[in-house]
Amino acid sequence: MKKPETEEEKLHWADEKEVISSNKPLLFLLRLFKIFPTRIVLLLIYPVGFFFFAFSKRARQESLNFQKVLFEYTDGKIPKKISAYRQIVSFSLCVLEKMEGWLGKFEYDNLILHDDDLPELKNQLENGKGAVIICSHLGNIELLRSLSSFGEHGVSREITVTTIMELKSTEQFNKTLQEINPNVAFNVIDPTDIGPDTICKLQEQIEKGGLVVIAGDRTSARTRDRFLREKFLGRDADFPYGVFLIALLLKFPVYYCFGLRTKSATVNPKYNMFVERSKVDLNCARGKREESIKALCHEFVEKLEKYTLQFPDQWYNFYNFWLLNEEM
């Protein structure tokens, strides 16, 4: 029998309070990055992880909830041992690696490329054609975005990356990243600012050979009643309708992209870069638009589940992911 959810568990992810209410601890870490070698600073993942573990009851609770869902879905195969601390330490390393990336200390050579659709995407970009990238909060896509800021993207020309992302929920962290590198806020669009003219501007950027990046695993903070329901790890979960609508309206090739660390907690790890192109027909007739939007979402959820099973400790959605819209 499922136990009743607490008021906190019924919160939409956008209503969560940021764990760090001040950016002073992050600024302290920034100073350490500037003084000491990166490998030494990355050893701080354990005290930083303990800080999150000790002061964020929600992170502890939702880490355990996620792992229990995963354990049930895989018949006890994943994870081998349920541990909130392990997942939070992995997240702490992700935070430090984002800072490392925007300081320009992470190199393209640290990426492990795979026999997937990345060569096709790179060839497309080389020929001056852009694309839409749908990512998630599994792994560290921000690290890949920071690489592009320094021109390290494996393509011989400059690539403009426009990112659609919610800024309010991580305000202090974003503020710190902007102090590291002002390009953090360059070409970033808050979803609440999207209007009819935004699609035209995004189309222009892609036509000029740019990328538009948007996360597909969190429902909208503004239009919470617009969602698509899919099975994820065996349970119903809601996904953002607007993300897949935008991808369809732009009518440019869509790629699913994941940046996933080779190990959960290690100094100077390499990152897997997985890229898979969508097979959904984006040039459908208006009458089949809804069908294509649902197909895009379903395809994305399949990819998200696939990589979540491979890299479960890098799941960084610390809220009740399976909270359905009518339960809020």
Side-chain angles (χ1 to χ4, degrees):
M1 184 176 180
K2 184 181 177 182
K3 66 178 182 179
E5 292 168 332
T6 65
E7 288 304 312
E8 190 176 38
E9 288 176 312
K10 292 182 180 180
L11 282 176
H12 187 272
W13 70 266
D15 296 328
E16 294 281 351
K17 292 181 179 179
E18 194 171 3
V19 175
I20 300 175
S21 58
S22 167
N23 72 335
K24 289 182 180 179
L26 295 171
L27 290 175
F28 174 70
L29 290 173
L30 173 58
R31 293 190 189 98
L32 293 181
F33 265 115
K34 292 180 177 179
I35 296 172
F36 298 104
T38 300
R39 291 189 178 189
I40 293 177
V41 180
L42 290 180
L43 288 173
L44 291 172
I45 57 170
Y46 297 103
V48 171
F50 181 78
F51 171 83
F52 280 110
F53 183 80
F55 291 98
S56 179
K57 177 183 176 183
R58 189 63 191 273
R60 295 195 306 271
Q61 175 181 312
E62 293 304 337
S63 294
L64 292 175
N65 288 344
F66 162 74
Q67 291 179 40
K68 287 175 182 177
V69 169
L70 193 60
F71 191 80
E72 179 183 324
Y73 180 68
T74 61
D75 294 325
K77 296 176 183 178
I78 303 173
K80 292 182 179 179
K81 182 181 180 181
I82 293 176
S83 168
Y85 181 65
R86 185 184 64 244
Q87 190 173 340
I88 291 172
V89 165
S90 174
F91 174 67
S92 302
L93 181 54
C94 174
V95 169
L96 293 175
E97 286 171 338
K98 287 181 181 181
M99 299 176 76
E100 177 191 9
W102 285 109
L103 282 166
K105 293 188 174 186
F106 189 89
E107 299 178 354
Y108 186 83
D109 289 343
N110 280 341
L111 292 179
I112 298 174
L113 309 181
H114 296 268
D115 185 21
D116 51 23
D117 294 322
L118 178 60
E120 178 186 330
L121 175 59
K122 288 174 67 175
N123 184 60
Q124 187 168 315
L125 293 171
E126 284 284 7
N127 293 326
K129 299 176 182 178
V132 177
I133 302 292
I134 299 182
C135 60
S136 69
H137 294 83
L138 174 73
N140 192 350
I141 199 68
E142 185 75 21
L143 194 62
L144 303 183
R145 189 167 79 93
S146 69
L147 279 175
S148 69
S149 166
F150 291 94
E152 294 194 45
H153 36 53
V155 179
S156 61
R157 68 178 182 85
E158 184 178 342
I159 307 293
T160 300
V161 180
T162 301
T163 306
I164 301 173
M165 62 185 293
E166 166 66 41
L167 298 172
K168 185 179 178 182
S169 61
T170 54
E171 187 176 357
Q172 293 298 332
F173 186 58
N174 291 329
K175 181 180 177 182
T176 304
L177 290 182
Q178 287 179 47
E179 294 194 30
I180 294 173
N181 188 329
N183 286 333
V184 170
F186 185 65
N187 282 341
V188 173
I189 300 174
D190 192 292
T192 57
D193 297 329
I194 291 180
D197 59 325
T198 310
I199 300 298
C200 295
K201 291 178 181 177
L202 293 176
Q203 285 178 325
E204 289 175 7
Q205 295 238 7
I206 301 176
E207 285 171 358
K208 293 176 181 178
L211 292 172
V212 171
V213 180
I214 186 169
D217 59 340
R218 291 186 180 179
T219 54
S220 170
R222 183 179 62 173
T223 54
R224 303 180 186 186
D225 57 338
R226 301 199 72 187
F227 59 88
L228 296 164
R229 187 158 293 170
E230 290 282 342
K231 287 284 185 185
F232 178 68
L233 298 179
R235 298 188 181 188
D236 286 339
D238 292 340
F239 292 84
Y241 177 89
V243 168
F244 304 100
L245 171 63
I246 289 172
L248 186 75
L249 292 176
L250 291 174
K251 296 198 178 298
F252 283 92
V254 173
Y255 292 84
Y256 306 112
C257 186
F258 299 86
L260 294 154
R261 194 183 312 111
T262 53
K263 294 182 179 178
S264 295
T266 185
V267 177
N268 197 29
K270 290 184 178 293
Y271 261 78
N272 293 287
M273 183 175 179
F274 297 105
V275 177
E276 297 190 42
R277 181 170 178 168
S278 170
K279 294 179 173 59
V280 176
D281 180 15
L282 303 176
N283 295 307
C284 60
R286 180 176 289 272
K288 293 189 175 181
R289 178 181 289 178
E290 289 301 311
E291 182 180 331
S292 295
I293 291 172
K294 291 177 181 178
L296 268 175
C297 180
H298 181 74
E299 191 178 53
F300 166 74
V301 174
E302 285 186 331
K303 307 300 181 189
L304 181 63
E305 182 172 278
K306 169 185 171 181
Y307 292 112
T308 299
L309 289 170
Q310 293 180 44
F311 301 90
D313 289 345
Q314 295 178 56
W315 176 261
Y316 303 139
N317 281 311
F318 294 109
Y319 64 94
N320 186 352
F321 194 79
W322 290 273
L323 178 63
L324 302 180
N325 183 65
E326 62 264 20
E327 297 174 357
M328 295 182 186

